[in-house]
């Protein structure tokens, strides 16, 4: 998970996990491990929302003086941290989720046995 958190291949820790912002390399450039075999799906978005919600929304609820700020100050002071934290955390959390999938050997072909809408 730590290798994925750093944006590195969970198998060797050397090759880059992404070739663009959230686009996973089909295989590790260093060790040729098939990185697109790990289906992170919606997990990273869920954990990012969970974390960013606590980091940004909790202070708004805890500190009542924030409610007295003018809207022109309040909106940017909420939306800018929301955007920054989300964009910074999402690739790291996606890497950590892929690291957890790698550690537990959960691959894309295993998705069929985990879905509830299986045909047979
Ligand atoms: Zn690798």
């Amino acid at each position: 998970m730590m290798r994925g958190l750093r944006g590195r291949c969970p198998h060797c820790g050397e090759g880059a996990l992404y070739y663009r912002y959230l686009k996973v390399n089909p295989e590790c450039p260093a060790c040729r491990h098939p990185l697109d075999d790990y289906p992170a799906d919606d997990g990273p978005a869920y954990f990012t929302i969970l974390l960013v919600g606590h980091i940004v929304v909790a202070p708004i609820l805890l500190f009542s003086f924030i409610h007295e700020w003018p809207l022109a100050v309040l909106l940017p002071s909420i939306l800018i941290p929301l955007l920054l934290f989300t964009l910074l955390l999402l690739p790291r959390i996606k890497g950590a989720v892929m690291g957890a999938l790698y550690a537990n050997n959960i691959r894309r072909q295993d998705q069929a046995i985990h879905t509830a809408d299986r045909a047979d």
Side-chain angles (χ1 to χ4, degrees):
M1 284 179 73
M2 290 306 291
R3 290 174 176 171
L5 208 60
R6 289 180 314 176
R8 295 289 154 203
C9 165
H11 185 69
C12 68
E14 297 296 321
L17 190 56
Y18 307 111
Y19 64 90
R20 281 178 31 201
Y21 178 61
L22 283 177
K23 298 290 185 186
V24 175
N25 272 324
E27 60 181 30
C28 173
C31 70
R32 300 280 178 223
H33 187 76
L35 296 173
D36 60 353
D37 244 13
Y38 303 102
D41 294 339
D42 296 337
Y46 171 78
F47 291 117
T48 303
I49 290 168
L50 188 75
L51 267 174
V52 172
H54 282 86
I55 292 169
V56 177
V57 176
I60 298 167
L61 297 173
L62 289 175
F63 304 117
S64 59
F65 65 89
I66 293 175
H67 299 268
E68 297 161 12
W69 291 356
L71 198 59
V73 175
L74 185 65
L75 275 181
S77 64
I78 293 170
L79 295 179
I80 291 171
L82 267 177
L83 185 71
L84 287 178
F85 278 119
T86 302
L87 292 176
L88 286 172
L89 288 176
L90 190 55
R92 286 155 181 81
I93 291 174
K94 183 174 181 175
V97 168
M98 290 187 64
L101 293 172
Y102 168 79
N104 292 295
N105 199 25
I106 299 170
R107 292 173 178 261
R108 191 167 300 282
Q109 60 265 24
D110 297 329
Q111 275 187 317
I113 59 173
H114 297 296
T115 53
D117 55 354
R118 193 167 173 192
D120 52 324

